[in-house]
């Protein structure tokens, strides 16, 4: 059991490491003139030389990656225009465009994205599972048809249009204006500022979750062991919510994990349209200004998030499904 | 164990000859079960009638699809009301099951009547421990603490011959072998001392030695608890070993019903003859097997007259094309034993002795 986790953790770390090497090579070792790109349109030869030196771009490739890795572990310093900028561990690079360490930028943006995605996940998981289970339990009734019908309708509208419509019509009128306040600073403002984003992300995904959980519940309610449960004389409610849900939701939980991981790295529309300063917006801006260090940092954080979520799901799964435990 | 089961235990120990007029515990009368489907209405059970007193074992035999499981699930009230049409009457201990509310059904299921299902592999919940599943059944019908229920679960596992029950009680079904899992299913079914036990092919998925052990176990438990047992099987060898009575089903109905030694000795229905011819000899030299020609009828369009007539080689013996036009009733054939069959033949015992018996394997 412990061995299994260690093995999984080791493979997770090696995946992150491989991503690091590959994206470093793609961004900074490629024959695409990284210095010119980072330096931008108002580049001076002095600044270009600074950047090149700060990034050790003249050194052999392996050594460069070594420096970058060492920065992650121990921090490093960047010298720009004669002044030294500290970049504390874990130093993911330095944004010359914004004049700040990448880690700081990401550390500012990550809580925003986490708040949006996790809050949204609470909404779509609970709504989707509830509606899906009800639909499965009352299969073929009006309730079921309405649930499936509206789920399909919601899903047939492209996501960014939903966000846009909510931003245009709902915020300021029905929902409080979208803005980000730190949870630690003011929990109420945090929740009200994110409400619009949660509802948008939550309801669109709830539509898919309704269908996943409905299908999964229908399957589990048709299993022999549910019939066995009925034959024991326990209430129908207990049959559905204990025996059915326990088996029906296990696969859905796995999908939630993957979806959260995916959304953490893909909240572009939600953040941009609601003007929330999260990872998606940071990346989008970096993309517009060719801010390679920030892009590199986001890719690394993104892949770490994905790999970690996968690891969490695997571990969670061994608790949810006793049959996997001995494997 | 309460007073009545105590009495039942002494009352119904062992096999006894059938006493006519003995009070039935399970009484099925003119049971019809229909499933409306896209292709039409499936007539899975068509007028089934039988009764069973405490302390006796009834074997239900018949080809695949003859309605054995469907009729037994009806007894347990397990059919989905919305998608099943049922009529007739099913009485357990005098209480009518058909039309009973779910809530009231739950005072019968698991406590008065319990069922062991065909496939132990899929019939236990994979995510709950064996003990948990046994305890759930016990606590549903007895107001006891978790601890007391667990003690009871361990006791039941021990009773059905599972070694090391203290440890096994906390294990999951997948940690049990097939035979052990079936024992655990039996423990679960019997945890509330039900007066009626329905075992739906409980040994089909198991290998021969385990099969024999499980049969012994059910027979033992039946003797101890004095319950009525309905035992569904394909295997006439098993029937001979365990049952007091046999009910032969064909196309959703009984074609022959009576004490086991009579029916295995001199069956009176051509379909029962076919069954005997189609099994390998239990003891003797292996002879040629004669599977019953043809296939069971479509339940969407039952044959007119006798449901077996398209496959029956004796239908010409009955004058006037009766087999094709008139449905035979299930009627008593001999005065002494309370056996009945559903066939127009006038002298089935003679036909059996002179024509069928000589070619049996
Ligand atoms: N829910 C249902 N809807 C439609 N048809 C059904 C349904 N349940 C059972 N049937 C049909 O009813 C018939 C009787 O099935 P049943 O399971 O009782 O057969 P069986 O005698 O138990 O056979 P086996 O020996 O294979 O277990 C079969 O033809 C089956 O296809
Ligand atoms: S009634 Fe006729 S067809 Fe039916 S079993 Fe008897 S002889 Fe055969
Ligand atoms: Mg069956």
């Amino acid at each position: 059991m412990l061995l299994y986790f260690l093995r999984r953790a080791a493979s997770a770390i090696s995946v992150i490491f491989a991503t690091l090497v590959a994206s470093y090579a793609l961004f900074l070792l490629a024959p695409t003139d990284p210095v010119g790109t980072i330096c931008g349109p108002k580049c001076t030869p002095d600044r270009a030389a600074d950047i090149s030196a700060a990034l050790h771009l003249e050194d052999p490739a392996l050594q460069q990656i070594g420096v970058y890795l060492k920065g992650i572990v121990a921090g490093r310093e960047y010298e720009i225009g004669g002044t030294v900028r500290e970049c504390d561990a874990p130093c993911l690079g330095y944004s010359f465009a914004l004049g700040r360490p990448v880690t700081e930028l990401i550390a500012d943006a990550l809580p925003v994205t986490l708040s949006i995605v996790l809050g949204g996940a609470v909404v779509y998981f609970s709504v989707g599972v509830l509606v899906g289970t009800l639909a499965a339990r009352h299969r073929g009734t009006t309730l079921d048809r309405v649930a499936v019908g509206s789920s399909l309708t919601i899903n047939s509208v492209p996501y960014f249009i939903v966000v846009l419509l909510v931003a245009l019509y709902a915020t300021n009128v029905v929902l409080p204006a979208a803005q980000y306040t730190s949870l630690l600073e003011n929990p109420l403002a945090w929740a009200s500022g994110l409400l619009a984003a949660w509802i948008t992300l939550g309801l669109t995904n709830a539509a898919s979750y309704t269908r996943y959980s409905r299908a999964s519940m229908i399957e589990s309610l048709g299993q022999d062991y549910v019939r066995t449960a009925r034959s024991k004389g326990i209430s129908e409610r207990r049959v559905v919510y204990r025996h059915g849900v326990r088996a029906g939701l296990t696969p859905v939980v796995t999908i939630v994990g993957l979806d959260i991981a995916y959304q953490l790295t893909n909240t572009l529309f939600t953040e941009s349209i609601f003007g929330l300063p999260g990872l998606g917006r940071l990346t989008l801006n970096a993309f517009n200004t060719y801010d390679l260090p920030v892009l590199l940092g986001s890719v690394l954080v993104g892949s770490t998030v994905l790999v970690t979520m996968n690891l969490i799901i695997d571990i969670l799964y061994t608790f949810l499904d006793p049959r996997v435990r001995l494997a | 164990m309460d007073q009545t089961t105590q009495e039942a235990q002494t009352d119904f120990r062992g096999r006894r000859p059938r006493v006519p007029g003995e009070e039935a515990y399970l009484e099925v009368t003119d049971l019809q079960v229909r499933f409306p489907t896209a292709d039409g209405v499936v007539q899975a059970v068509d007028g089934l009638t039988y009764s069973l007193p405490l302390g006796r074992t009834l074997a239900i035999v018949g080809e695949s699809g003859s309605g054995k499981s469907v009729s037994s699930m009806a007894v347990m009230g397990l059919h989905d009301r919305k998608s099943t049409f049922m009529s007739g009457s099913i009485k357990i201990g005098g209480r009518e099951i058909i039309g009973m509310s779910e809530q009231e059904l739950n005072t019968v299921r698991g406590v008065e009547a319990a069922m062991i299902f065909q496939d132990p592999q899929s019939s236990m919940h994979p995510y709950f421990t064996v003990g948990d599943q046994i305890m759930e059944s016990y606590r549903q019908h007895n107001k006891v603490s978790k601890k007391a229920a667990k003690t009871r679960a361990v006791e039941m596992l021990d009773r059905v011959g599972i070694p090391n029950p203290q440890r096994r009680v906390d294990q999951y079904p997948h940690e049990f072998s097939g035979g052990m899992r079936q024992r655990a299913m039996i423990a679960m079914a019997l945890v509330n001392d039900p007066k009626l036990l329905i075992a739906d092919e409980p040994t089909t998925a198991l290998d021969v030695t385990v099969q024999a052990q499980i049969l012994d176990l059910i027979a033992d438990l039946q003797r101890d608890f004095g319950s009525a047992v309905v035992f569904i099987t394909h295997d006439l060898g098993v029937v001979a070993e365990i049952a007091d009575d046999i009910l032969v089903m064909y196309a959703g109905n009984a074609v022959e019903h009576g004490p086991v030694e009579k029916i295995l000795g001199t069956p009176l229905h051509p379909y029962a003859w076919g069954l005997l011819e189609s099994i390998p000899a239990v003891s003797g030299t292996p002879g040629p097997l004669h599977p019953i020609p043809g296939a069971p009828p479509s339940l969407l369009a039952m044959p007119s007259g006798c449901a077996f007539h398209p496959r029956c080689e004796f239908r010409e013996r009955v004058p006037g094309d009766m087999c094709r036009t008139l449905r035979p009733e299930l009627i008593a054939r001999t005065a002494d034993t309370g056996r009945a069959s559903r066939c127009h033949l006038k002298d089935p015992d003679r036909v059996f002795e002179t024509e069928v018996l000589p070619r049996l394997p």
Side-chain angles (χ1 to χ4, degrees):
Chain A
M1 185 81 168
L2 185 66
L3 200 73
Y4 168 78
F5 290 143
L6 288 178
R7 231 181 32 233
R8 292 284 299 130
S11 86
I13 290 171
S14 56
V15 169
I16 295 172
F17 184 75
T19 317
L20 185 152
V21 173
S23 35
Y24 192 93
L26 281 171
F27 285 124
L28 297 174
L29 299 176
T32 50
D33 181 23
V35 176
T37 311
I38 294 170
C39 197
K42 283 173 282 180
C43 197
T44 60
D46 275 0
R47 192 169 150 82
D50 271 357
I51 289 173
S52 180
L55 293 178
H56 297 259
L57 286 181
E58 304 304 324
D59 293 350
L62 272 183
Q63 205 168 326
Q64 281 186 46
I65 294 178
V67 170
Y68 189 74
L69 270 178
K70 193 167 162 240
I72 293 179
V73 180
R76 63 196 273 201
E77 291 174 346
Y78 287 90
E79 203 184 320
I80 298 135
T83 45
V84 172
R85 311 285 167 97
E86 288 293 332
C87 180
D88 298 330
C91 176
L92 293 172
Y94 187 86
S95 167
F96 299 95
L98 300 172
R100 288 181 67 194
V102 172
T103 311
E104 262 179 54
L105 292 168
I106 289 178
D108 283 350
L110 194 60
V112 181
T113 304
L114 271 176
S115 303
I116 297 173
V117 171
L118 294 181
V122 169
V123 174
Y124 64 70
F125 187 71
S126 39
V127 173
V129 163
L130 193 74
V131 178
T133 305
L134 280 176
R137 200 181 153 180
H138 302 283
R139 181 143 74 122
T141 63
T142 316
L143 181 123
D144 180 26
R145 277 193 285 271
V146 169
V148 173
S150 34
S151 145
L152 287 169
T153 314
I154 291 175
N155 276 164
S156 61
V157 183
Y159 181 61
F160 66 91
I161 292 190
V162 178
V163 191
L164 198 64
L165 288 175
V166 173
L168 283 177
Y169 287 93
T171 48
N172 297 322
V173 184
V174 190
L175 300 169
Q179 69 191 46
Y180 183 76
T181 319
S182 161
L183 171 65
L184 301 173
E185 212 170 276
N186 183 345
L188 209 66
W190 172 78
S192 78
L194 290 170
L195 199 59
W198 288 342
I199 288 181
T200 326
L201 186 70
L203 289 189
T204 44
N205 284 287
S208 331
Y209 276 84
T210 297
R211 295 202 310 280
Y212 299 152
S213 1
R214 179 179 177 275
S216 184
M217 280 301 294
I218 284 177
E219 194 191 320
S220 95
L221 288 178
Q223 294 292 325
D224 288 354
Y225 50 74
V226 169
R227 187 184 57 194
T228 308
R230 276 205 184 95
S231 79
K232 295 201 274 191
I234 56 184
S235 70
E236 181 63 16
R237 178 175 296 220
R238 196 173 159 91
V239 169
V240 173
Y241 293 102
R242 184 172 141 93
H243 293 257
V245 164
R246 181 68 179 76
L249 285 200
T250 304
V252 181
V253 169
T254 320
I255 310 178
V256 176
L258 293 174
D259 271 358
I260 289 178
Y262 174 80
Q263 284 154 1
L264 283 174
T265 54
N266 284 281
T267 44
L268 222 85
F269 292 128
T270 325
E271 289 174 11
S272 304
I273 295 175
F274 287 122
L276 296 167
L279 266 188
R281 229 174 50 149
L282 179 71
T283 319
L284 192 66
N285 290 340
F287 201 74
N288 287 333
T289 56
Y290 291 103
D291 197 342
L292 293 184
V294 170
L295 288 176
L296 177 59
S298 331
V299 170
L300 284 183
V301 170
S303 74
T304 311
V305 164
L306 277 174
V307 169
T308 314
M309 278 309 291
N310 268 308
L311 189 62
I312 292 176
I313 295 164
D314 278 359
I315 293 173
L316 197 64
Y317 213 88
T318 61
F319 286 102
L320 285 177
D321 189 343
R323 287 168 299 185
V324 203
R325 266 174 228 178
L326 297 176
Chain B
M1 209 177 285
D2 64 20
Q3 195 58 40
T4 41
T5 19
Q6 286 280 356
E7 280 168 18
Q9 228 182 72
T10 41
D11 260 15
F12 296 106
R13 196 174 287 276
R15 281 189 198 177
R16 297 162 315 127
R18 189 186 174 99
V19 184
E22 196 165 49
E23 200 191 334
Y25 185 69
L26 169 64
E27 217 173 345
V28 177
T29 315
D30 194 24
L31 176 67
Q32 307 260 351
V33 183
R34 287 182 223 107
F35 302 106
T37 65
D39 303 325
V41 176
V42 173
Q43 178 85 43
V45 179
D46 187 11
L48 182 65
T49 299
Y50 68 86
S51 65
L52 182 65
L54 288 174
R56 286 185 84 89
T57 300
L58 170 72
I60 301 185
V61 299
E63 278 168 310
S64 197
S66 55
K68 306 184 295 292
S69 299
V70 168
S71 57
S72 306
M73 278 169 62
V75 170
M76 295 292 293
L78 287 175
H79 290 300
D80 181 10
R81 285 152 196 260
K82 277 171 287 181
S83 55
T84 316
F85 294 149
M86 278 200 285
S87 65
S89 158
I90 298 169
K91 283 199 170 129
I92 297 180
R95 290 163 81 192
E96 179 59 55
I97 297 296
I98 291 183
M100 194 182 252
S101 72
E102 282 287 329
Q103 213 173 355
E104 212 189 332
L105 260 184
N106 284 340
T107 64
V108 177
R109 290 195 287 221
V111 54
E112 301 283 313
M115 187 157 177
I116 304 166
F117 296 94
Q118 187 156 353
D119 188 358
Q121 220 71 11
S122 59
S123 294
M124 291 199 105
H125 203 299
Y127 295 165
F128 300 121
T129 63
V130 168
D132 198 14
Q133 298 185 53
I134 298 176
M135 283 157 65
E136 183 180 36
S137 195
Y138 191 58
R139 294 191 75 203
Q140 177 68 29
H141 303 285
N142 298 277
K143 301 240 164 310
V144 294
S145 67
K146 270 208 160 105
K147 208 165 151 241
K150 187 154 181 180
T151 313
R152 172 75 177 171
V154 172
E155 188 186 300
M156 286 309 292
L157 289 179
D158 191 37
R159 181 72 189 79
V160 298
I162 289 177
N164 222 335
Q166 278 91 350
R167 194 168 60 81
R168 288 300 202 150
V169 76
D170 290 321
Q171 289 186 337
Y172 289 90
H174 70 91
E175 297 171 70
F176 281 54
S177 67
M180 284 297 156
R181 217 175 301 182
Q182 196 58 291
R183 282 172 196 263
M185 275 295 294
I186 294 173
M188 186 161 85
L190 294 181
V191 71
N192 292 311
D193 300 335
K195 296 202 185 67
L196 170 65
L197 176 68
I198 300 178
D200 189 351
E201 304 191 34
T203 57
T204 309
L206 307 174
D207 68 54
V208 186
T209 9
V210 183
Q211 197 170 331
Q213 292 168 359
I214 299 280
L215 288 179
D216 284 348
L217 176 65
I218 292 179
D220 274 5
L221 295 171
Q222 196 231 15
R223 257 194 303 281
D224 291 0
F225 292 110
S227 346
V229 174
V230 174
F231 196 99
I232 299 173
T233 179
H234 282 283
D235 188 338
L236 291 182
V238 168
V239 173
E241 202 172 312
I242 198 166
D244 301 302
D245 297 321
I246 305 186
L247 179 81
V248 182
M249 276 188 85
Y250 187 76
N253 210 337
V255 293
E256 183 149 17
H257 184 190
V260 72
E261 31 339 305
K262 302 279 179 192
I263 293 193
L264 290 184
T266 47
L268 298 179
H269 194 279
Y271 175 65
W273 301 341
L275 282 184
L276 280 185
E277 283 180 79
S278 67
I279 55 159
V282 187
S283 53
T285 46
L289 292 186
H290 303 277
I292 304 173
S298 159
L299 299 179
L300 293 166
M302 274 317 183
S304 60
C306 171
F308 188 57
H309 89 258
R311 300 168 74 185
C312 182
E313 57 174 304
F314 300 98
R315 62 169 179 257
E316 305 304 336
R317 309 282 175 91
V318 180
D321 210 11
M322 273 218 312
C323 294
R324 221 170 43 74
T325 53
L326 185 68
R327 179 172 161 155
E329 292 299 315
L330 185 69
I331 45 166
R333 302 307 297 221
T334 33
D336 60 334
T337 51
R339 61 183 303 195
S341 77
R342 191 186 287 280
C343 174
H344 289 311
L345 283 177
K346 285 278 166 287
D347 49 356
D349 33 3
R350 203 188 49 78
V351 176
F352 177 72
E353 256 147 49
T354 56
E355 296 178 46
V356 183
L357 197 55
R359 61 179 199 220
L360 281 187

